[in-house]
Each structure stands twice: as C-alpha cells, then as structure tokens.
Amino acid sequence: MPKITVDGKVIEAKDRQMVLQACLDAGVALPQYCYHPGLSIPASCRICLVEVEGIPKLVPSCQTPVRDGMVVYSKSSKAIANQKAVMEYLLINHPLDCPVCDQAGECYLQDYSYEYGRSQSRFEEDKQKKPKKDVGENILLYNDRCIMCTRCVRFTREVSGTSELYVDGRGSKEEIDIFPGKPLNNKLASNVVDLCPVGALLDKDFLFKQRVWLLKQAPSISPVDAGGENIFLEYNEGIIYRIKPRYNAEVNTWWISDDTRYSYKAVHSENRLTKPMRTQYGTQVETDYAGAIEHADSALKELVKTNGAGSTYAMLSPMMANEEAYLLATYIRSIDPQAVLVLGPTPSSGADEVFKNPANGKVTFTIKAEKVPNAAGIRRVIEKLGGPKATFEDFTKAESAELKKLKGGWIVGGYLSAWLPTEVPALFKKGLRIVQDILPTSLSGSCDVLLPAAAWAEKDGSWENFAGKIQPFLAAVPPPDGARREGDVYYKLLGRTGMYNAEDVRGEMGEPFAQIPLPDLETLAPAPEFIEL
Amino acid sequence: MAWIAEDRRQEQVTKGEPLLTEEMKSHLREKYFPRYPTKRAVLLPALHHVQHEYGWIPTQALQEIAEFLELAPAEVLDTASFYEEYWLKPKGKYLVQVCRSLSCEICDSRKLTDHVMKKYGIDVGETSADGRLTLVELECLGACGTAPVAGINDTLHEELTVEKLQQIIDGLPEDPHDYKDPTINFAEANGH
C-alpha cells in the first residue's frame, strides 16, 4: 500500500491507483472536469494538474499513478496559477447565462469558478457563438456552454457502446455533435446529461421546470425492472421533477436506464385513482375511505363464514413492497387461514438488454427483461409465510380443486402501466373482488371495493432485485388526495395503532428483511478500485 | 440564433449509388488491411482514397466507410473533421495552396494570394464560380529555400511570382487526374 503526502496530509492509496482517485477516496478535494471514475482517462481538461516533488512540470493527477513516498502539492503557487489559468480559458467563450441555465446550482464550472477562478473576466473581445442542437429524443445540446471534457463522447463509446456522439473539428472550433440523422436515442442516452459537468447537455423533460437548489432528494429504487437500479427521486412541494442515478457498485454503478429516469411520470398521471368506491345494487358508488375499508373487511369475513376456509385469495403485486405483501398476507390469513397467495403478473420483454464496451467486450450495463421490481421479494414473502399458494398462470386457469374453491379475494395492482393480461382470470370477473390500484383498469371499474393506493414514490418499503439483493426505498411525496398507502390500510385492518412503518415491519418479518440498512445519504459515489490503463 | 435549436436528428443523408465502390473496397482490402492489426486503422487511407476519387468526401461516403470498416459513422466523422486536409464540402478541381509561413511571407506570398483572390473573385477558402479553383492558405510546405511556394493539388511549385502562378493555373488540364508533377509522381508515391 503506497503512502503519499498531499498538501502535508498522508494518504494511503491502493496499488496502481491514480493520484486523483486516491485523493477522492481519502476525502481530499481536487478539481476535475473530464475525469469520471466510470470512464477512460483522457487528461484533457487540465484543471486537476498538481505539483509533484521531483518532477519539474505539473502533472495531471487523474493520470499519474501513485508511488510510495510521493509528495503532492495541489495548493502550491504553481498549481493555483494553473487552476486560475484553466478557469480563465474555459470561461473565455462560456456564456454568462447562469440565470437561465438548468445546470446552475449543480455546475462544476460555477463551483470551480468560485473556488479557483477570478472574480472578473479580462476578455474584452466577442465570445464565440456556437449553435444549439437537438441531438436526441430527450436531449438538447447547447454547444455554447460546452467545455469539451468529452465525458459524453466517452460514455457513448465505452458504456452504451453506441458511439452516437463525436467531436467535430478541433482546437477552438471543436464541437460535440451527432452524425446527421443518427440521433442519440439509446436506452442509456440520458446519462450523458448527468455526466455533463456544465449545462451543455440538457434533459428536455426537465428543461426550465425547476431550479435545482429547490429540489430535495429521496433515495429510491427503480420501479421499471428487476434490476433494482438505485436512484434519487428529486422533488419539491410534493411533485417529483426528475430522477437521478444513485451510485451502487453492486447494482447499477453510476448509470440508470431511460425507462427508470422517466418512470416518475406515472406518479403524477392525471388518471390516478383517487376515489374509493364500493358496489351497491350492482353499480359502483363513491364512498369514504374508512367506509370502504370497513366494507371490504366485513365482506371478506362474510365470504369466509359462508364458504369456509380456503375460499379466498390475495393477489400480491410484484409492485408491492415486501412489507406490504407481508401485512396483506398476514391480514387475509387471519380471516382465512387457508387463503391462497398469488404472485401477480410479471410482464417480461423477452430478453435482457446488455450493453458492452466494444473495445474490450466487457458488459457495462444490463436492463433486465422482467419489467417489475419485486417479483423475487414477493416470492420470498409467500415462501416464508407458507400455506397455499399459486402462480398467476395456474390462478388464471383455475384447474386444481384448491383454486376452484375460490370465491373472492384481495387484488393489488400498483403497476405503472396497463397490467391486466389479455386473458383475464375468471376470478377477476366474478365473486368478491377488493382492488387496490393506482391507475384505472377494467377491473377497477367493476370491482366490489376499490381502494386507491400509493405509487412507490409515495411510500417506504423494500424490494428484492433479480440477484436477491433487498434494497429499501423511501417516500418522496405524499399520495394524492383520496389515495392511501397500502401499509396504512393494512395497519387499520390488522387493528394496529399508529402509521405504517416499514422498518418496524421488516423487523417483525425476520431474516433476511430485518437487517436491511437504510441508504446512507452521506456516502458519495466512491472511485472504483482502479481503472485499467 | 438565440433559442433556436438545429434539428440534427431529422437531417437525412441523401442516398444514391454507392460511392465506395466494390473496386475501391477490394483495393483497400488488398493493399491496406494486411498492413494494420485492426480495420479501424485503415480509416485514414480509406478517407484519402475516397477524397482522391471525388475531390472531397461526401457524407454518404462517410457512412459507407463506417460500414466497411465496422465503425460508427460518428467515429468516422470525428476523424475526418479533425484533419483539415479532408474536405467534407465540395472543393474545386484544383486546390491552390499558398504557403503563408515566415519565409514565403517575407518573399511576398501575400501577393500570390491577393492575385488569385482578385482574379477569380474568391476569398481564401472559397471556390471559383466555374468550380475550377479553390484557394487556401496553409503553413510551411517545407521548401523555404525556394520561397514563395504554393502547392496545386499534389504538386509543389517553387520560386513563384504572380505571372508564373497565373501561367501554371492557365496550363492546368481539364481533368485533374491528368495533372502530374513532372519530377515526382505524388500519387504513386502515396500509393494511389
């Protein structure tokens, strides 16, 4: 383990690590634009140059491997002079349009200008003006603001492997561009917006929607597939404005898919169910939430009384949190000890989408084929509780004696898009149907009791991804008026006091759920072990 | 320009007869593929080959080169746009390249440029109306001892005066492929 001294502080580095990585790992801040731990190192921005004892010229810290006993100065007069010069050069042609720039507030150029730059520009000539370009379905490019760090170009070449972006020209005429008619539309494309250290690459979806310093972050998990990508929901005053990736070395590293990024739209859909309903004389009528819950409870109890044990089922949706599935299953089994637990439909796109780096063939990102986040978790909950269970296919066919006995049950939806399969199970058309869902379906329009539920962004819980990793997520916004979190409904049904608390429920559920730590908000994305040269 | 964004997504590349013909492909395959470990490395010779054939490199040809060398079109354009010697816009049949480096500048190379500009009504970087000449200025051509110099396509002309340059321009053949340096054959030396 080589030891290096940075500005008088001794740091332990890993073998073959670069000076910049070692510093970042040890919490020593060095400025950086082009360097990104997930991409190759071009050492082109030159702001990270440091002075090293024994080397007459400044060296790029991102590209200089550590050596035992190395003495590094990042605040020597030479290093500071370089930082100032780089900032001045970058700002020569950079427009001063921070007030209308979406990146303002999370802009490296702003931060470093404050920290390392000058307060005034000495440049009196006209700034170069470069065009704005529409380069992809979700992405705008403001070439004026670009500082040519080429992070985005390297991303499309090394991570998505699609190479849509390129550098046009050279020198002061350099511009990022796409080949005419070949847009940046791959499934990982919007990651370039996160990568851009300045406001050059912009998300059309977020453009001019909100100033970033007003946004608050809630750690969450991607609801669109079984990969369990870690995300931040960024919200303000009860509205989610965007989703950003959250670093997790074991799951999604620095990236998320575009499906994940724009999944929040379903949360604020105009079609959200917000009116609890119950059937009276064959038609649905609006009711109050407490009444609907009571009605559901008494109807279920009545059903079991007349038809005996084993006449009810609960369809646990793979969109539910493990805690909610556990509570619902506990509730229905308290009424009917032989209730059948069914895992809801798990739509699949057929095959995983795998992204590779064409240079070395390494897999960089995988979008899972299973388009629900928690099928594995629900299976685990059903397994843990034991008793009668059925797959959705068997439930649809209803051939076994056990399933033929079913007279009614509790159906949870919660999917972000239409979920009822083309072949609707016979049990969804007759018998007692208590439905909890967020978006309207033919089932929600015909069921006996309708309880509008909460989307994943509106509640706490945990999901298990395809690899068996159970990850917690936290609520960002409250459910819309008239909808209630599933957990609260089950608490009421189970006669528990207080509000639904995911952590308490996890403790009650036992291993492996009890030991899941909440995401640590203080942990910044660390650099990987080392990047192979 | 203010808030108007160029729509780069919808731009269509006109598709016609293949510009990178089978003949050109087999030439590249036989001559250049054995020289390099990867197909990617043949990019520069391939661009040269197309430019030599057509005088410039049309966007369609860039796409065909990308397909041929198994690269992304954007990567081909990245390289092609980096080098100023690759023409991505049509140029005249003859490229008049006047040296503007120190020795030539001292020996009045500016007069040569001014003469061509005035005579053909073009600016530096522009093509004459008949499509015959394109004028550019460039840095040292490596013949400072015989300044001022200018290159016309692949041929170097030394110790120029305005009259001498005009004489050379007037004597250029109709088809640029017929135009050869009497002393060195650049085309053959470069492998074309």
Side-chain angles (χ1 to χ4, degrees), chain A residues 107-135:
Chain A
C107 176
Y108 281 43
L109 205 56
Q110 276 186 332
D111 293 354
Y112 294 159
S113 182
Y114 176 73
E115 233 164 300
Y116 305 100
R118 310 165 53 92
S119 59
Q120 273 183 320
S121 173
R122 292 187 294 179
F123 189 69
E124 288 173 354
E125 292 77 2
D126 284 340
K127 286 180 190 247
Q128 256 186 21
K129 290 194 183 69
K130 286 176 181 169
K132 297 167 176 62
K133 292 171 187 161
D134 185 356
V135 294

Side-chain angles (χ1 to χ4, degrees), chain A residues 284-414:
Chain A
Q284 280 191 340
V285 291
E286 220 181 301
T287 176
D288 62 306
Y289 218 105
I293 294 175
E294 265 169 42
H295 185 72
D297 189 38
S298 58
L300 261 183
K301 283 178 177 154
E302 188 62 36
L303 186 81
V304 179
K305 214 186 222 175
T306 30
N307 295 296
S311 58
T312 58
Y313 62 89
M315 193 200 92
L316 305 174
S317 153
M319 298 299 294
M320 289 172 96
N322 296 319
E323 297 82 348
E324 294 166 348
Y326 168 81
L327 288 173
L328 175 58
T330 312
Y331 163 69
I332 201 142
R333 287 270 167 86
S334 73
I335 297 172
D336 176 359
Q338 290 303 307
V340 180
L341 301 181
V342 187
L343 168 64
T346 52
S348 166
S349 66
D352 289 356
E353 267 180 85
V354 180
F355 294 86
K356 283 182 186 161
N357 180 347
N360 55 21
K362 276 188 193 157
V363 174
T364 49
F365 200 84
T366 308
I367 299 176
K368 299 307 285 182
E370 192 174 273
K371 293 299 171 202
V372 282
N374 197 30
I378 301 295
R379 277 193 206 102
R380 191 188 286 274
V381 170
I382 294 175
E383 208 60 47
K384 218 170 155 61
L385 290 165
K389 58 173 182 174
T391 63
F392 194 74
E393 286 71 41
D394 291 343
F395 179 75
T396 309
K397 287 180 200 136
E399 277 163 350
S400 70
E402 195 181 45
L403 293 171
K404 276 183 180 158
K405 263 173 69 186
L406 297 178
K407 292 286 181 292
W410 196 295
I411 303 153
V412 185

